[in-house]
Amino acid sequence: QQPVQSPQAVILREGEDAVINCSSSKALYSVHWYRQKHGEAPVFLMILLKGGEQKGHEKISASFNEKKQQSSLYLTASQLSYSGTYFCGTPFLNNYGQNFVFGPGTRLSVLP
Amino acid sequence: DTEVTQTPKHLVMGMTNKKSLKCEQHMGHRAMYWYKQKAKKPPELMFVYSYEKLSINESVPSRFSPECPNSSLLNLHLHALQPEDSALYLCASSRQGGGYGYTFGSGTRLTVV
């Protein structure tokens, strides 16, 4: 049930762009994106609820392709503060009811 | 107030101890969650409370016991833990339905010795 993320890690220089992908073999009904800095709590970035939806958050935006069961997070003109681990996550149903699962994460390092 | 507050921040306990983790939010959220996170891994959902009722309970060992005294408070009671239970325990809350994203607390770093 866990989504797959790629790449596992990426290193950027300040001002460079990056794309993080999240995909699933199961249907994705919605996709959440979070960023977690080392030693801190995950922080909610955005949620995409419908296929074809695109959202932006400062210089961070995301798209959701429901048919392809994937979502992508776009980071443009990266800043040092963008460093951290990015998780996608999605709700699903199991025997216990509605559940939620995070992808394994993509570690992003932005260097000066 | 847009925070989820967790106490304590750090906890070391022996395998025979009983301890409790506490979580509080004042955002009016009616869903609260406990997550467990091991190093370099994503958070894993343990328990969900929706309107103070335990709505799902993943196959978590009974040595973890959640409690939701009211809509603002969430506890996790710990008893007879194992060293492999050492992890970061995160509390989160959300508006009902989860279609709005989760707000996480800063977590309790638990070490079982």
Side-chain angles (χ1 to χ4, degrees):
Chain A
Q1 297 280 5
Q2 185 181 45
V4 176
Q5 287 186 236
S6 62
Q8 288 184 322
V10 59
I11 299 174
L12 301 175
R13 293 284 181 185
E14 264 188 298
E16 293 181 338
D17 302 341
V19 180
I20 299 172
N21 298 303
C22 174
S23 63
S24 174
S25 58
K26 304 279 187 180
L28 291 173
Y29 299 104
S30 66
V31 178
H32 297 218
W33 285 98
Y34 293 82
R35 175 173 61 209
Q36 185 176 27
K37 293 181 179 287
H38 182 70
E40 299 181 9
V43 173
F44 173 69
L45 295 177
M46 66 190 81
I47 182 172
L48 299 108
L49 296 173
K50 295 181 292 187
E53 186 173 11
Q54 291 187 315
K55 278 191 176 178
H57 178 76
E58 296 179 343
K59 294 181 180 177
I60 301 174
S61 62
S63 63
F64 179 25
N65 188 324
E66 193 176 27
K67 289 183 179 179
K68 290 187 177 180
Q69 297 171 186
Q70 68 179 34
S71 176
S72 295
L73 185 71
Y74 306 94
L75 301 104
T76 58
S78 58
Q79 305 168 13
L80 295 176
S81 61
Y82 288 2
S83 292
T85 300
Y86 289 79
F87 296 102
C88 68
T90 186
F92 69 95
L93 289 173
N94 64 8
N95 292 336
Y96 300 96
Q98 186 165 32
N99 203 336
F100 189 89
V101 64
F102 285 95
T106 295
R107 184 170 299 216
L108 177 72
S109 300
V110 181
L111 305 178
Chain B
D1 190 352
T2 57
E3 284 188 344
V4 175
T5 303
Q6 289 187 243
T7 55
K9 293 197 181 302
H10 301 274
L11 179 63
V12 179
M13 61 184 291
M15 289 188 285
T16 59
N17 291 160
K18 286 184 181 181
K19 296 287 184 182
S20 297
L21 309 184
K22 298 186 182 301
C23 175
E24 187 170 7
Q25 59 91 11
H26 294 289
M27 294 177 283
H29 290 171
R30 299 311 298 269
M32 296 185 75
Y33 312 82
W34 281 114
Y35 279 87
K36 174 182 178 180
Q37 186 175 27
K38 301 283 268 185
K40 298 186 178 181
K41 296 291 186 182
E44 295 180 4
L45 184 61
M46 299 176 71
F47 300 107
V48 178
Y49 272 90
S50 177
Y51 288 93
E52 297 130 64
K53 299 291 184 187
L54 185 62
S55 59
I56 71 169
N57 179 353
E58 281 294 280
S59 52
V60 175
S62 59
R63 56 186 182 266
F64 296 92
S65 176
E67 178 195 18
C68 189
N70 60 54
S71 60
S72 299
L73 295 174
L74 188 65
N75 299 321
L76 185 63
H77 302 297
L78 314 172
H79 174 54
L81 295 193
Q82 303 297 309
E84 59 264 28
D85 296 321
S86 298
L88 180 67
Y89 289 84
L90 293 161
C91 174
S93 69
S94 71
R95 291 191 209 176
Q96 188 58 29
Y100 302 92
Y102 304 123
T103 301
F104 282 88
S106 56
T108 294
R109 178 76 58 187
L110 174 68
T111 303
V112 181
V113 298

